[in-house]
């Protein structure tokens, strides 16, 4: 496996908008560090229906240089030296360096493959998370859990029941949830955003999004955090 590249260009309306932006004086100057207000408002408007509430573009949306910087920003903001972060194996490789940079420690909990997955074509949904293993991995130093759904590289979309079980553990132990949802437009089965389960879960959750993934322009490095 290696880095994925789209074999086609972004939609024409995206390319046209980018070309038009180059002709605007303000679009070629420094942007506000939290992101351009117009983009923050557009993201809040686009995601509010998914979350079932009005997202405040000023207080709940931050634009980042790609989703990866968004995740790094979350780790840098909330992790102190020695804090533990739970990752579900396998996982996107850049999580590790981002967690370790502020002094965090990675704790691994496996996603279990289907028993006959090595010999038969199976569904990504057949990969399972043992909730008792997750609970045992929690210590008094656990600060955050990274959830990736739809998942890279497995493709698994966690069910609402699985998300609720993970969320219950996080609420019980006051653990932050970094929900990597950069593939939130690429799924074929029901997809639940963990932040929508309850206000208690939403309070603990930062949701990661990616314009590069949504519009096939990963080199543009446009990401965001909602929470």
């Amino acid at each position: 496996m290696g880095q994925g590249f789209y074999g086609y260009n972004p939609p024409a309306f995206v390319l046209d908008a980018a070309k038009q932006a180059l002709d605007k004086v303000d679009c070629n100057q420094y942007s506000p560090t939290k992101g351009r207000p117009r983009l923050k408002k557009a993201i809040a408007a686009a995601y509010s229906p998914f979350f079932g509430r009005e997202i405040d573009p000023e207080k709940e949306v931050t634009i980042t240089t790609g989703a990866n910087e968004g995740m790094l920003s979350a780790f840098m903001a909330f992790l102190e030296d020695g804090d533990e972060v739970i990752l579900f194996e396998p996982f996107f490789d850049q999580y590790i360096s981002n967690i370790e940079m502020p002094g965090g420690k990675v704790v691994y909990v496996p996603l279990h493959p289907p028993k006959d997955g090595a010999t038969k074509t199976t569904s990504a949904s057949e990969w399972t998370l043992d909730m008792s293993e997750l609970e045992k991995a929690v210590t008094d130093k656990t600060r955050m859990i990274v959830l990736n759904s739809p998942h890279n590289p497995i493709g698994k979309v966690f069910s609402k029941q699985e998300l609720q079980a993970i969320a219950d553990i996080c609420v019980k132990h006051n653990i932050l949830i970094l929900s990597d949802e950069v593939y939130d437009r690429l799924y074929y089965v029901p997809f639940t955003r963990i932040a929508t389960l309850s206000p208690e879960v939403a309070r603990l959750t930062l949701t990661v999004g990616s314009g590069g993934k949504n519009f096939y322009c990963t080199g543009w490095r446009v990401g965001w955090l909602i929470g």
Side-chain angles (χ1 to χ4, degrees), residues 180-197:
D180 181 354
E181 299 178 12
V182 300
Y183 295 104
D184 66 351
R185 300 299 196 281
L186 302 174
Y187 60 89
Y188 302 97
V189 296
F191 169 55
T192 301
R193 300 172 191 273
I194 193 167
T196 65
L197 293 179

Side-chain angles (χ1 to χ4, degrees), residues 14-36:
V14 175
L15 295 177
D16 290 342
K19 293 171 185 176
Q20 292 166 14
L22 292 175
D23 291 328
K24 298 179 181 179
V25 174
D26 59 318
C27 288
N28 292 295
Q29 308 305 315
Y30 291 123
S31 282
T33 54
K34 293 188 295 182
R36 300 185 74 82

Side-chain angles (χ1 to χ4, degrees), residues 7-213:
Y8 39 86
N9 254 348
F13 76 89
V14 175
L15 295 177
D16 290 342
K19 293 171 185 176
Q20 292 166 14
L22 292 175
D23 291 328
K24 298 179 181 179
V25 174
D26 59 318
C27 288
N28 292 295
Q29 308 305 315
Y30 291 123
S31 282
T33 54
K34 293 188 295 182
R36 300 185 74 82
R38 183 181 175 192
L39 178 55
K40 287 158 59 74
K41 289 177 182 178
I43 289 172
Y47 277 83
S48 289
F50 297 144
F51 282 76
R53 64 179 182 82
E54 288 299 314
I55 295 172
D56 186 333
E58 267 306 296
K59 296 181 179 180
E60 297 183 272
V61 180
T62 298
I63 309 303
T64 59
T65 308
N68 196 37
E69 189 196 48
M71 290 183 280
L72 174 63
S73 299
F75 294 134
M76 295 293 282
F78 291 106
L79 296 183
E80 300 290 344
D81 191 41
D83 283 347
E84 296 176 353
V85 180
I86 294 175
L87 293 184
F88 302 144
E89 294 184 286
F91 50 83
F92 175 54
D93 63 336
Q94 291 182 350
Y95 293 151
I96 296 180
S97 58
N98 287 356
I99 291 168
E100 292 180 342
M101 198 175 299
K105 176 186 175 184
V106 180
V107 176
Y108 303 98
V109 174
L111 288 170
H112 296 282
K115 290 182 179 180
D116 54 358
T119 57
K120 295 182 180 179
T121 300
T122 57
S123 169
S125 64
E126 295 179 52
W127 287 70
T128 57
L129 176 66
D130 186 325
M131 296 303 167
S132 64
E133 289 183 337
L134 174 56
E135 185 90 56
K136 289 176 183 176
V138 174
T139 72
D140 57 0
K141 292 186 177 181
T142 304
R143 180 64 170 150
M144 189 179 293
I145 286 177
V146 178
L147 173 70
N148 182 201
S149 180
H151 189 278
N152 174 16
I154 292 173
K156 177 182 174 68
V157 176
F158 284 76
S159 69
K160 186 174 183 179
Q161 291 73 25
E162 289 174 315
L163 294 177
Q164 187 65 64
I166 295 169
D168 289 343
I169 292 173
C170 291
V171 171
K172 176 182 176 182
H173 298 282
N174 197 34
I175 299 170
L176 296 173
I177 303 166
L178 185 63
S179 187
D180 181 354
E181 299 178 12
V182 300
Y183 295 104
D184 66 351
R185 300 299 196 281
L186 302 174
Y187 60 89
Y188 302 97
V189 296
F191 169 55
T192 301
R193 300 172 191 273
I194 193 167
T196 65
L197 293 179
S198 72
E200 293 77 19
V201 179
R203 180 181 63 84
L204 294 171
T205 303
L206 282 174
T207 298
V208 184
S210 169
K213 295 295 194 301

